[in-house]
Amino acid sequence: MEWSPFTVEETQAFLNRVQSPFLPGIFVVETTEISYKPLPFFQNTRHIVLENLAVAPPLSLEYLMRGDDIFYLDGSDAPLKALCEKGALILKAETVVDYLEFHCAVVVERPDDILLFRPSPALRRFKDPVHYLDFQFDQNNFGEHDITVNMRPDKGFTVHAAFVFDGKIDPATAHISTNGDITINRREGI
Amino acid sequence: MIDYTHPHAEKIHQETLSILQHAPSAARLLEQAPLPPGALRIFKTLYPRIFVPDEQSLYIGLPATQDYTDIEQVIDLAAALLELKAKREGMKRPDQALDQEESLQKQHLINLDLILHTFAIVQELEDAGYKAVDCIRKQGLAPLPRVVAAS
């Protein structure tokens, strides 16, 4: 899915919704660009990125928007839980890996950040995209085909894949419940 | 209205300032230009960031899940204090009306200058027993002084 820009009018309207007297100077229409894209795993939901270009690299704030509801992505799982409770989650074999990747990216598990190790969307267009783990010896390559998805009897999913645990890559099994909750069990030793 | 206040703002605020006092240059900065009450705001965001909107205030953004003070935030605060000082002395981030390439060039020169000045504080924190140099190394900034000197 491609990012689309907000018009100046849309930008102003969105800033009016999300601005806060706690942070003057951030929500300034003259220095702000906003873009959005739909998310395949949340019904009628846009992922919105607000960038203040007064500094470089830009200061980014991210949101989810569904109808009139706006959820600020603050690093906790609260905004995703709120959206799932509203019945927005579309959990199926075609969307579960995207959901898992997004969840890992926006729910920040300090101090051990966990990310799904996956080729970028641009690379995924190729037939057999591969991530090179070991640049020197060209070993331990992982690609999209190394991610396996299984549906559980309760309609939840199990995903086996490589994850990045605070910079170290290890295989792990992610359990995704129908309510959107995710637990990731690490298996050390690649 | 969205509440951007970090749930552990007070604790992180106090700890960050307290650790920074161990760097003599930073302590001098705070002494010469004390932060007015409410000037330092810690808000929730996906990724750690600093933002200095004007000559009076500075913001530190942190994930809501972080309930401890990391040396990274102490270094970020040092950089923000240096930017605040520079702004008070007349430094301005480039205008949006500028050509994008020219604007980015000016932005990066300002960032480079701030980073190089922050290194002195990083070394003082390291001397005080904090793993500040390692933090800079993980950010990939460690070779910067050598590269600048060589150029």
PDB file of all heavy atoms in Angstrom, chain A residues 18 20 22-24 31 53-54 56-58 63 72 74-75 106 108 110-111, chain B residues 1-2 4 41 44-46 49 51 59 63-66 68 93 96 107 111:
ATOM      1  N   VAL A  18      -5.678  16.837  16.769  1.00  0.00           N
ATOM      2  CA  VAL A  18      -4.652  16.163  17.586  1.00  0.00           C
ATOM      3  C   VAL A  18      -3.756  17.114  18.380  1.00  0.00           C
ATOM      4  O   VAL A  18      -2.975  16.687  19.216  1.00  0.00           O
ATOM      5  CB  VAL A  18      -3.747  15.232  16.723  1.00  0.00           C
ATOM      6  CG1 VAL A  18      -4.584  14.163  16.041  1.00  0.00           C
ATOM      7  CG2 VAL A  18      -2.943  16.013  15.692  1.00  0.00           C
ATOM      8  N   SER A  20      -2.163  19.813  21.008  1.00  0.00           N
ATOM      9  CA  SER A  20      -2.288  19.842  22.458  1.00  0.00           C
ATOM     10  C   SER A  20      -1.545  21.046  23.013  1.00  0.00           C
ATOM     11  O   SER A  20      -0.426  21.334  22.569  1.00  0.00           O
ATOM     12  CB  SER A  20      -1.700  18.551  23.042  1.00  0.00           C
ATOM     13  OG  SER A  20      -1.385  18.729  24.403  1.00  0.00           O
ATOM     14  N   PHE A  22      -0.062  21.129  25.615  1.00  0.00           N
ATOM     15  CA  PHE A  22       1.113  20.596  26.309  1.00  0.00           C
ATOM     16  C   PHE A  22       2.364  20.690  25.426  1.00  0.00           C
ATOM     17  O   PHE A  22       3.482  20.760  25.936  1.00  0.00           O
ATOM     18  CB  PHE A  22       0.834  19.138  26.696  1.00  0.00           C
ATOM     19  CG  PHE A  22       1.979  18.443  27.392  1.00  0.00           C
ATOM     20  CD1 PHE A  22       2.461  18.894  28.608  1.00  0.00           C
ATOM     21  CD2 PHE A  22       2.575  17.322  26.819  1.00  0.00           C
ATOM     22  CE1 PHE A  22       3.517  18.256  29.237  1.00  0.00           C
ATOM     23  CE2 PHE A  22       3.625  16.674  27.447  1.00  0.00           C
ATOM     24  CZ  PHE A  22       4.101  17.154  28.657  1.00  0.00           C
ATOM     25  N   LEU A  23       2.164  20.681  24.093  1.00  0.00           N
ATOM     26  CA  LEU A  23       3.314  20.655  23.177  1.00  0.00           C
ATOM     27  C   LEU A  23       3.223  21.764  22.125  1.00  0.00           C
ATOM     28  O   LEU A  23       3.139  21.481  20.917  1.00  0.00           O
ATOM     29  CB  LEU A  23       3.396  19.282  22.486  1.00  0.00           C
ATOM     30  CG  LEU A  23       3.640  18.073  23.379  1.00  0.00           C
ATOM     31  CD1 LEU A  23       3.516  16.778  22.580  1.00  0.00           C
ATOM     32  CD2 LEU A  23       5.017  18.138  24.044  1.00  0.00           C
ATOM     33  N   PRO A  24       3.241  23.036  22.535  1.00  0.00           N
ATOM     34  CA  PRO A  24       3.183  24.096  21.524  1.00  0.00           C
ATOM     35  C   PRO A  24       4.421  24.040  20.628  1.00  0.00           C
ATOM     36  O   PRO A  24       5.500  23.682  21.076  1.00  0.00           O
ATOM     37  CB  PRO A  24       3.157  25.390  22.355  1.00  0.00           C
ATOM     38  CG  PRO A  24       3.656  25.017  23.704  1.00  0.00           C
ATOM     39  CD  PRO A  24       3.333  23.576  23.901  1.00  0.00           C
ATOM     40  N   THR A  31       4.825  23.972   8.858  1.00  0.00           N
ATOM     41  CA  THR A  31       5.998  23.090   8.850  1.00  0.00           C
ATOM     42  C   THR A  31       5.608  21.609   8.906  1.00  0.00           C
ATOM     43  O   THR A  31       6.464  20.753   9.130  1.00  0.00           O
ATOM     44  CB  THR A  31       6.925  23.397  10.049  1.00  0.00           C
ATOM     45  OG1 THR A  31       6.180  23.281  11.263  1.00  0.00           O
ATOM     46  CG2 THR A  31       7.526  24.779   9.944  1.00  0.00           C
ATOM     47  N   LEU A  53       8.609  19.302   9.833  1.00  0.00           N
ATOM     48  CA  LEU A  53       9.843  19.439   9.055  1.00  0.00           C
ATOM     49  C   LEU A  53      10.711  20.605   9.520  1.00  0.00           C
ATOM     50  O   LEU A  53      11.683  20.955   8.850  1.00  0.00           O
ATOM     51  CB  LEU A  53       9.499  19.622   7.575  1.00  0.00           C
ATOM     52  CG  LEU A  53       8.624  18.526   6.966  1.00  0.00           C
ATOM     53  CD1 LEU A  53       8.172  18.914   5.575  1.00  0.00           C
ATOM     54  CD2 LEU A  53       9.357  17.200   6.912  1.00  0.00           C
ATOM     55  N   ALA A  54      10.379  21.184  10.671  1.00  0.00           N
ATOM     56  CA  ALA A  54      11.204  22.291  11.178  1.00  0.00           C
ATOM     57  C   ALA A  54      12.577  21.795  11.607  1.00  0.00           C
ATOM     58  O   ALA A  54      13.503  22.583  11.746  1.00  0.00           O
ATOM     59  CB  ALA A  54      10.500  22.972  12.346  1.00  0.00           C
ATOM     60  N   ALA A  56      15.548  18.418  11.097  1.00  0.00           N
ATOM     61  CA  ALA A  56      15.925  17.278  10.256  1.00  0.00           C
ATOM     62  C   ALA A  56      16.756  16.316  11.106  1.00  0.00           C
ATOM     63  O   ALA A  56      17.686  16.764  11.766  1.00  0.00           O
ATOM     64  CB  ALA A  56      16.735  17.734   9.060  1.00  0.00           C
ATOM     65  N   PRO A  57      16.452  15.021  11.094  1.00  0.00           N
ATOM     66  CA  PRO A  57      15.287  14.420  10.455  1.00  0.00           C
ATOM     67  C   PRO A  57      13.995  14.915  11.098  1.00  0.00           C
ATOM     68  O   PRO A  57      14.014  15.337  12.251  1.00  0.00           O
ATOM     69  CB  PRO A  57      15.489  12.908  10.703  1.00  0.00           C
ATOM     70  CG  PRO A  57      16.397  12.811  11.874  1.00  0.00           C
ATOM     71  CD  PRO A  57      17.277  14.019  11.822  1.00  0.00           C
ATOM     72  N   PRO A  58      12.883  14.858  10.357  1.00  0.00           N
ATOM     73  CA  PRO A  58      11.634  15.422  10.878  1.00  0.00           C
ATOM     74  C   PRO A  58      11.184  14.736  12.164  1.00  0.00           C
ATOM     75  O   PRO A  58      11.481  13.565  12.386  1.00  0.00           O
ATOM     76  CB  PRO A  58      10.624  15.153   9.762  1.00  0.00           C
ATOM     77  CG  PRO A  58      11.411  14.817   8.557  1.00  0.00           C
ATOM     78  CD  PRO A  58      12.706  14.243   9.032  1.00  0.00           C
ATOM     79  N   TYR A  63      -0.385   7.942  14.133  1.00  0.00           N
ATOM     80  CA  TYR A  63      -1.754   7.750  14.629  1.00  0.00           C
ATOM     81  C   TYR A  63      -2.443   6.668  13.808  1.00  0.00           C
ATOM     82  O   TYR A  63      -2.039   6.358  12.684  1.00  0.00           O
ATOM     83  CB  TYR A  63      -2.565   9.035  14.464  1.00  0.00           C
ATOM     84  CG  TYR A  63      -1.955  10.251  15.129  1.00  0.00           C
ATOM     85  CD1 TYR A  63      -0.951  10.990  14.484  1.00  0.00           C
ATOM     86  CD2 TYR A  63      -2.360  10.664  16.387  1.00  0.00           C
ATOM     87  CE1 TYR A  63      -0.383  12.101  15.088  1.00  0.00           C
ATOM     88  CE2 TYR A  63      -1.795  11.778  16.997  1.00  0.00           C
ATOM     89  CZ  TYR A  63      -0.810  12.489  16.339  1.00  0.00           C
ATOM     90  OH  TYR A  63      -0.251  13.585  16.933  1.00  0.00           O
ATOM     91  N   TYR A  72      -3.573   7.595  19.179  1.00  0.00           N
ATOM     92  CA  TYR A  72      -2.175   8.023  19.098  1.00  0.00           C
ATOM     93  C   TYR A  72      -1.259   6.835  19.403  1.00  0.00           C
ATOM     94  O   TYR A  72      -1.418   6.163  20.438  1.00  0.00           O
ATOM     95  CB  TYR A  72      -1.928   9.149  20.103  1.00  0.00           C
ATOM     96  CG  TYR A  72      -0.483   9.599  20.175  1.00  0.00           C
ATOM     97  CD1 TYR A  72       0.185  10.027  19.035  1.00  0.00           C
ATOM     98  CD2 TYR A  72       0.208   9.603  21.378  1.00  0.00           C
ATOM     99  CE1 TYR A  72       1.508  10.442  19.089  1.00  0.00           C
ATOM    100  CE2 TYR A  72       1.533  10.021  21.449  1.00  0.00           C
ATOM    101  CZ  TYR A  72       2.176  10.433  20.292  1.00  0.00           C
ATOM    102  OH  TYR A  72       3.475  10.832  20.348  1.00  0.00           O
ATOM    103  N   ASP A  74       1.687   5.513  20.911  1.00  0.00           N
ATOM    104  CA  ASP A  74       2.600   6.038  21.934  1.00  0.00           C
ATOM    105  C   ASP A  74       3.627   5.008  22.389  1.00  0.00           C
ATOM    106  O   ASP A  74       4.335   5.224  23.367  1.00  0.00           O
ATOM    107  CB  ASP A  74       1.804   6.554  23.140  1.00  0.00           C
ATOM    108  CG  ASP A  74       1.012   5.455  23.839  1.00  0.00           C
ATOM    109  OD1 ASP A  74       1.103   4.274  23.435  1.00  0.00           O
ATOM    110  OD2 ASP A  74       0.307   5.774  24.813  1.00  0.00           O
ATOM    111  N   GLY A  75       3.702   3.876  21.678  1.00  0.00           N
ATOM    112  CA  GLY A  75       4.675   2.847  22.042  1.00  0.00           C
ATOM    113  C   GLY A  75       4.077   1.752  22.918  1.00  0.00           C
ATOM    114  O   GLY A  75       4.652   0.682  23.051  1.00  0.00           O
ATOM    115  N   VAL A 106       5.115  -0.920  16.380  1.00  0.00           N
ATOM    116  CA  VAL A 106       4.509   0.201  17.118  1.00  0.00           C
ATOM    117  C   VAL A 106       4.283  -0.090  18.608  1.00  0.00           C
ATOM    118  O   VAL A 106       3.907   0.815  19.346  1.00  0.00           O
ATOM    119  CB  VAL A 106       3.175   0.667  16.474  1.00  0.00           C
ATOM    120  CG1 VAL A 106       3.405   1.086  15.034  1.00  0.00           C
ATOM    121  CG2 VAL A 106       2.084  -0.363  16.598  1.00  0.00           C
ATOM    122  N   VAL A 108       6.408  -0.860  21.611  1.00  0.00           N
ATOM    123  CA  VAL A 108       7.842  -0.832  21.910  1.00  0.00           C
ATOM    124  C   VAL A 108       8.095  -1.510  23.251  1.00  0.00           C
ATOM    125  O   VAL A 108       7.664  -1.028  24.291  1.00  0.00           O
ATOM    126  CB  VAL A 108       8.345   0.620  21.940  1.00  0.00           C
ATOM    127  CG1 VAL A 108       9.854   0.662  22.107  1.00  0.00           C
ATOM    128  CG2 VAL A 108       7.938   1.351  20.674  1.00  0.00           C
ATOM    129  N   ARG A 110      10.433  -1.919  25.730  1.00  0.00           N
ATOM    130  CA  ARG A 110      11.713  -1.471  26.280  1.00  0.00           C
ATOM    131  C   ARG A 110      12.137  -2.383  27.411  1.00  0.00           C
ATOM    132  O   ARG A 110      11.284  -2.813  28.164  1.00  0.00           O
ATOM    133  CB  ARG A 110      11.606  -0.038  26.794  1.00  0.00           C
ATOM    134  CG  ARG A 110      11.019   0.924  25.809  1.00  0.00           C
ATOM    135  CD  ARG A 110      11.894   1.205  24.639  1.00  0.00           C
ATOM    136  NE  ARG A 110      12.918   2.187  24.955  1.00  0.00           N
ATOM    137  CZ  ARG A 110      13.801   2.616  24.076  1.00  0.00           C
ATOM    138  NH1 ARG A 110      13.796   2.130  22.853  1.00  0.00           N
ATOM    139  NH2 ARG A 110      14.687   3.517  24.413  1.00  0.00           N
ATOM    140  N   PRO A 111      13.425  -2.696  27.626  1.00  0.00           N
ATOM    141  CA  PRO A 111      14.526  -2.253  26.792  1.00  0.00           C
ATOM    142  C   PRO A 111      14.803  -3.161  25.599  1.00  0.00           C
ATOM    143  O   PRO A 111      15.631  -2.829  24.768  1.00  0.00           O
ATOM    144  CB  PRO A 111      15.707  -2.297  27.766  1.00  0.00           C
ATOM    145  CG  PRO A 111      15.386  -3.413  28.690  1.00  0.00           C
ATOM    146  CD  PRO A 111      13.906  -3.434  28.820  1.00  0.00           C
TER     147      PRO A 111
ATOM    148  N   MET B   1      -9.372  15.229  23.731  1.00  0.00           N
ATOM    149  CA  MET B   1      -8.009  15.708  23.459  1.00  0.00           C
ATOM    150  C   MET B   1      -6.982  14.625  23.824  1.00  0.00           C
ATOM    151  O   MET B   1      -7.128  13.958  24.845  1.00  0.00           O
ATOM    152  CB  MET B   1      -7.735  16.983  24.281  1.00  0.00           C
ATOM    153  CG  MET B   1      -6.413  17.616  23.957  1.00  0.00           C
ATOM    154  SD  MET B   1      -6.043  19.040  24.999  1.00  0.00           S
ATOM    155  CE  MET B   1      -7.290  20.192  24.429  1.00  0.00           C
ATOM    156  N   ILE B   2      -5.997  14.468  22.974  1.00  0.00           N
ATOM    157  CA  ILE B   2      -4.980  13.442  23.225  1.00  0.00           C
ATOM    158  C   ILE B   2      -4.053  13.894  24.357  1.00  0.00           C
ATOM    159  O   ILE B   2      -3.601  15.029  24.379  1.00  0.00           O
ATOM    160  CB  ILE B   2      -4.155  13.183  21.945  1.00  0.00           C
ATOM    161  CG1 ILE B   2      -5.053  12.579  20.862  1.00  0.00           C
ATOM    162  CG2 ILE B   2      -2.974  12.261  22.231  1.00  0.00           C
ATOM    163  CD1 ILE B   2      -4.399  12.454  19.502  1.00  0.00           C
ATOM    164  N   TYR B   4      -0.583  13.672  25.706  1.00  0.00           N
ATOM    165  CA  TYR B   4       0.758  13.270  25.275  1.00  0.00           C
ATOM    166  C   TYR B   4       1.730  13.109  26.447  1.00  0.00           C
ATOM    167  O   TYR B   4       2.884  12.729  26.237  1.00  0.00           O
ATOM    168  CB  TYR B   4       1.331  14.312  24.302  1.00  0.00           C
ATOM    169  CG  TYR B   4       0.621  14.358  22.962  1.00  0.00           C
ATOM    170  CD1 TYR B   4      -0.402  15.268  22.726  1.00  0.00           C
ATOM    171  CD2 TYR B   4       0.975  13.494  21.931  1.00  0.00           C
ATOM    172  CE1 TYR B   4      -1.061  15.323  21.502  1.00  0.00           C
ATOM    173  CE2 TYR B   4       0.330  13.541  20.711  1.00  0.00           C
ATOM    174  CZ  TYR B   4      -0.690  14.459  20.497  1.00  0.00           C
ATOM    175  OH  TYR B   4      -1.333  14.505  19.277  1.00  0.00           O
ATOM    176  N   ARG B  41       9.705  19.196  28.881  1.00  0.00           N
ATOM    177  CA  ARG B  41       8.497  18.359  28.859  1.00  0.00           C
ATOM    178  C   ARG B  41       8.819  16.996  28.274  1.00  0.00           C
ATOM    179  O   ARG B  41       9.465  16.904  27.235  1.00  0.00           O
ATOM    180  CB  ARG B  41       7.399  19.034  28.031  1.00  0.00           C
ATOM    181  CG  ARG B  41       7.033  20.364  28.631  1.00  0.00           C
ATOM    182  CD  ARG B  41       5.923  21.050  27.932  1.00  0.00           C
ATOM    183  NE  ARG B  41       5.708  22.326  28.611  1.00  0.00           N
ATOM    184  CZ  ARG B  41       4.728  23.152  28.356  1.00  0.00           C
ATOM    185  NH1 ARG B  41       3.852  22.847  27.437  1.00  0.00           N
ATOM    186  NH2 ARG B  41       4.614  24.288  29.014  1.00  0.00           N
ATOM    187  N   LYS B  44       5.006  11.238  25.273  1.00  0.00           N
ATOM    188  CA  LYS B  44       4.985   9.872  24.742  1.00  0.00           C
ATOM    189  C   LYS B  44       5.158   9.913  23.230  1.00  0.00           C
ATOM    190  O   LYS B  44       4.525  10.723  22.547  1.00  0.00           O
ATOM    191  CB  LYS B  44       3.629   9.207  25.017  1.00  0.00           C
ATOM    192  CG  LYS B  44       3.255   9.071  26.452  1.00  0.00           C
ATOM    193  CD  LYS B  44       1.921   8.370  26.602  1.00  0.00           C
ATOM    194  CE  LYS B  44       0.740   9.231  26.220  1.00  0.00           C
ATOM    195  NZ  LYS B  44      -0.574   8.640  26.505  1.00  0.00           N
ATOM    196  N   THR B  45       6.000   9.051  22.730  1.00  0.00           N
ATOM    197  CA  THR B  45       6.144   8.932  21.276  1.00  0.00           C
ATOM    198  C   THR B  45       6.684   7.542  20.953  1.00  0.00           C
ATOM    199  O   THR B  45       7.129   6.816  21.841  1.00  0.00           O
ATOM    200  CB  THR B  45       7.074  10.043  20.735  1.00  0.00           C
ATOM    201  OG1 THR B  45       7.109   9.977  19.312  1.00  0.00           O
ATOM    202  CG2 THR B  45       8.484   9.901  21.252  1.00  0.00           C
ATOM    203  N   LEU B  46       6.629   7.173  19.682  1.00  0.00           N
ATOM    204  CA  LEU B  46       7.083   5.828  19.310  1.00  0.00           C
ATOM    205  C   LEU B  46       8.587   5.654  19.476  1.00  0.00           C
ATOM    206  O   LEU B  46       9.056   4.622  19.925  1.00  0.00           O
ATOM    207  CB  LEU B  46       6.731   5.554  17.845  1.00  0.00           C
ATOM    208  CG  LEU B  46       5.386   4.912  17.549  1.00  0.00           C
ATOM    209  CD1 LEU B  46       5.253   4.657  16.061  1.00  0.00           C
ATOM    210  CD2 LEU B  46       5.225   3.614  18.315  1.00  0.00           C
ATOM    211  N   ARG B  49      13.090  10.937  20.863  1.00  0.00           N
ATOM    212  CA  ARG B  49      13.381  12.129  20.071  1.00  0.00           C
ATOM    213  C   ARG B  49      13.499  13.345  20.974  1.00  0.00           C
ATOM    214  O   ARG B  49      12.925  13.366  22.064  1.00  0.00           O
ATOM    215  CB  ARG B  49      12.236  12.414  19.086  1.00  0.00           C
ATOM    216  CG  ARG B  49      12.376  11.837  17.694  1.00  0.00           C
ATOM    217  CD  ARG B  49      13.683  12.088  17.024  1.00  0.00           C
ATOM    218  NE  ARG B  49      13.908  13.473  16.635  1.00  0.00           N
ATOM    219  CZ  ARG B  49      13.655  13.978  15.446  1.00  0.00           C
ATOM    220  NH1 ARG B  49      13.122  13.209  14.512  1.00  0.00           N
ATOM    221  NH2 ARG B  49      13.933  15.234  15.162  1.00  0.00           N
ATOM    222  N   PHE B  51      13.057  17.715  20.748  1.00  0.00           N
ATOM    223  CA  PHE B  51      12.531  18.793  19.909  1.00  0.00           C
ATOM    224  C   PHE B  51      12.653  20.080  20.703  1.00  0.00           C
ATOM    225  O   PHE B  51      12.235  20.144  21.865  1.00  0.00           O
ATOM    226  CB  PHE B  51      11.069  18.508  19.553  1.00  0.00           C
ATOM    227  CG  PHE B  51      10.492  19.458  18.537  1.00  0.00           C
ATOM    228  CD1 PHE B  51      10.920  19.433  17.220  1.00  0.00           C
ATOM    229  CD2 PHE B  51       9.510  20.372  18.896  1.00  0.00           C
ATOM    230  CE1 PHE B  51      10.386  20.301  16.275  1.00  0.00           C
ATOM    231  CE2 PHE B  51       8.965  21.247  17.963  1.00  0.00           C
ATOM    232  CZ  PHE B  51       9.397  21.213  16.645  1.00  0.00           C
ATOM    233  N   TYR B  59      11.592  19.547  24.453  1.00  0.00           N
ATOM    234  CA  TYR B  59      10.773  18.348  24.638  1.00  0.00           C
ATOM    235  C   TYR B  59      11.627  17.097  24.441  1.00  0.00           C
ATOM    236  O   TYR B  59      12.467  17.042  23.554  1.00  0.00           O
ATOM    237  CB  TYR B  59       9.643  18.283  23.606  1.00  0.00           C
ATOM    238  CG  TYR B  59       8.760  19.499  23.513  1.00  0.00           C
ATOM    239  CD1 TYR B  59       8.096  19.791  22.325  1.00  0.00           C
ATOM    240  CD2 TYR B  59       8.565  20.357  24.597  1.00  0.00           C
ATOM    241  CE1 TYR B  59       7.272  20.899  22.207  1.00  0.00           C
ATOM    242  CE2 TYR B  59       7.745  21.466  24.499  1.00  0.00           C
ATOM    243  CZ  TYR B  59       7.114  21.742  23.290  1.00  0.00           C
ATOM    244  OH  TYR B  59       6.304  22.835  23.184  1.00  0.00           O
ATOM    245  N   PRO B  63       8.979   6.290  24.291  1.00  0.00           N
ATOM    246  CA  PRO B  63       7.846   5.361  24.288  1.00  0.00           C
ATOM    247  C   PRO B  63       7.181   5.308  25.673  1.00  0.00           C
ATOM    248  O   PRO B  63       7.882   5.357  26.693  1.00  0.00           O
ATOM    249  CB  PRO B  63       8.488   4.008  23.948  1.00  0.00           C
ATOM    250  CG  PRO B  63       9.775   4.348  23.285  1.00  0.00           C
ATOM    251  CD  PRO B  63      10.232   5.632  23.889  1.00  0.00           C
ATOM    252  N   ALA B  64       5.863   5.209  25.683  1.00  0.00           N
ATOM    253  CA  ALA B  64       5.119   5.185  26.953  1.00  0.00           C
ATOM    254  C   ALA B  64       5.528   3.998  27.812  1.00  0.00           C
ATOM    255  O   ALA B  64       5.368   4.014  29.035  1.00  0.00           O
ATOM    256  CB  ALA B  64       3.625   5.132  26.671  1.00  0.00           C
ATOM    257  N   THR B  65       6.070   2.948  27.168  1.00  0.00           N
ATOM    258  CA  THR B  65       6.434   1.735  27.902  1.00  0.00           C
ATOM    259  C   THR B  65       7.756   1.879  28.657  1.00  0.00           C
ATOM    260  O   THR B  65       8.111   1.004  29.442  1.00  0.00           O
ATOM    261  CB  THR B  65       6.561   0.550  26.917  1.00  0.00           C
ATOM    262  OG1 THR B  65       7.331   0.985  25.793  1.00  0.00           O
ATOM    263  CG2 THR B  65       5.210   0.076  26.447  1.00  0.00           C
ATOM    264  N   GLN B  66       8.484   2.944  28.398  1.00  0.00           N
ATOM    265  CA  GLN B  66       9.783   3.104  29.075  1.00  0.00           C
ATOM    266  C   GLN B  66       9.591   3.770  30.432  1.00  0.00           C
ATOM    267  O   GLN B  66       9.128   4.915  30.520  1.00  0.00           O
ATOM    268  CB  GLN B  66      10.732   3.941  28.210  1.00  0.00           C
ATOM    269  CG  GLN B  66      12.108   4.081  28.847  1.00  0.00           C
ATOM    270  CD  GLN B  66      13.139   4.708  27.928  1.00  0.00           C
ATOM    271  OE1 GLN B  66      13.057   4.582  26.715  1.00  0.00           O
ATOM    272  NE2 GLN B  66      14.113   5.383  28.502  1.00  0.00           N
ATOM    273  N   TYR B  68      12.138   3.900  32.825  1.00  0.00           N
ATOM    274  CA  TYR B  68      13.456   4.102  33.425  1.00  0.00           C
ATOM    275  C   TYR B  68      14.220   5.167  32.620  1.00  0.00           C
ATOM    276  O   TYR B  68      13.828   5.505  31.497  1.00  0.00           O
ATOM    277  CB  TYR B  68      14.246   2.790  33.417  1.00  0.00           C
ATOM    278  CG  TYR B  68      14.455   2.248  32.028  1.00  0.00           C
ATOM    279  CD1 TYR B  68      15.584   2.567  31.286  1.00  0.00           C
ATOM    280  CD2 TYR B  68      13.482   1.443  31.431  1.00  0.00           C
ATOM    281  CE1 TYR B  68      15.751   2.105  30.001  1.00  0.00           C
ATOM    282  CE2 TYR B  68      13.646   0.981  30.135  1.00  0.00           C
ATOM    283  CZ  TYR B  68      14.778   1.305  29.435  1.00  0.00           C
ATOM    284  OH  TYR B  68      14.925   0.858  28.148  1.00  0.00           O
ATOM    285  N   ARG B  93      16.853  27.507  12.967  1.00  0.00           N
ATOM    286  CA  ARG B  93      16.729  26.420  11.994  1.00  0.00           C
ATOM    287  C   ARG B  93      16.264  27.038  10.675  1.00  0.00           C
ATOM    288  O   ARG B  93      15.536  28.037  10.692  1.00  0.00           O
ATOM    289  CB  ARG B  93      15.695  25.384  12.474  1.00  0.00           C
ATOM    290  CG  ARG B  93      16.134  24.579  13.699  1.00  0.00           C
ATOM    291  CD  ARG B  93      16.952  23.386  13.297  1.00  0.00           C
ATOM    292  NE  ARG B  93      17.431  22.607  14.442  1.00  0.00           N
ATOM    293  CZ  ARG B  93      18.202  21.546  14.308  1.00  0.00           C
ATOM    294  NH1 ARG B  93      18.583  21.144  13.117  1.00  0.00           N
ATOM    295  NH2 ARG B  93      18.608  20.881  15.361  1.00  0.00           N
ATOM    296  N   GLN B  96      11.291  27.141   6.038  1.00  0.00           N
ATOM    297  CA  GLN B  96      10.691  26.165   5.114  1.00  0.00           C
ATOM    298  C   GLN B  96      10.646  26.693   3.680  1.00  0.00           C
ATOM    299  O   GLN B  96      10.508  25.928   2.736  1.00  0.00           O
ATOM    300  CB  GLN B  96       9.275  25.815   5.572  1.00  0.00           C
ATOM    301  CG  GLN B  96       9.221  25.015   6.849  1.00  0.00           C
ATOM    302  CD  GLN B  96      10.017  23.734   6.756  1.00  0.00           C
ATOM    303  OE1 GLN B  96       9.718  22.880   5.946  1.00  0.00           O
ATOM    304  NE2 GLN B  96      11.047  23.595   7.574  1.00  0.00           N
ATOM    305  N   GLN B 107      20.375  22.322   7.908  1.00  0.00           N
ATOM    306  CA  GLN B 107      19.931  21.514   9.046  1.00  0.00           C
ATOM    307  C   GLN B 107      21.063  20.588   9.507  1.00  0.00           C
ATOM    308  O   GLN B 107      21.334  20.458  10.696  1.00  0.00           O
ATOM    309  CB  GLN B 107      18.721  20.651   8.662  1.00  0.00           C
ATOM    310  CG  GLN B 107      17.430  21.407   8.439  1.00  0.00           C
ATOM    311  CD  GLN B 107      16.679  21.689   9.732  1.00  0.00           C
ATOM    312  OE1 GLN B 107      17.240  21.593  10.829  1.00  0.00           O
ATOM    313  NE2 GLN B 107      15.419  22.049   9.617  1.00  0.00           N
ATOM    314  N   ASN B 111      23.047  20.270  13.021  1.00  0.00           N
ATOM    315  CA  ASN B 111      23.075  19.005  13.779  1.00  0.00           C
ATOM    316  C   ASN B 111      24.512  18.571  14.069  1.00  0.00           C
ATOM    317  O   ASN B 111      24.833  18.148  15.186  1.00  0.00           O
ATOM    318  CB  ASN B 111      22.377  17.887  12.993  1.00  0.00           C
ATOM    319  CG  ASN B 111      20.879  18.087  12.910  1.00  0.00           C
ATOM    320  OD1 ASN B 111      20.324  18.928  13.619  1.00  0.00           O
ATOM    321  ND2 ASN B 111      20.212  17.341  12.053  1.00  0.00           N
TER     322      ASN B 111
END
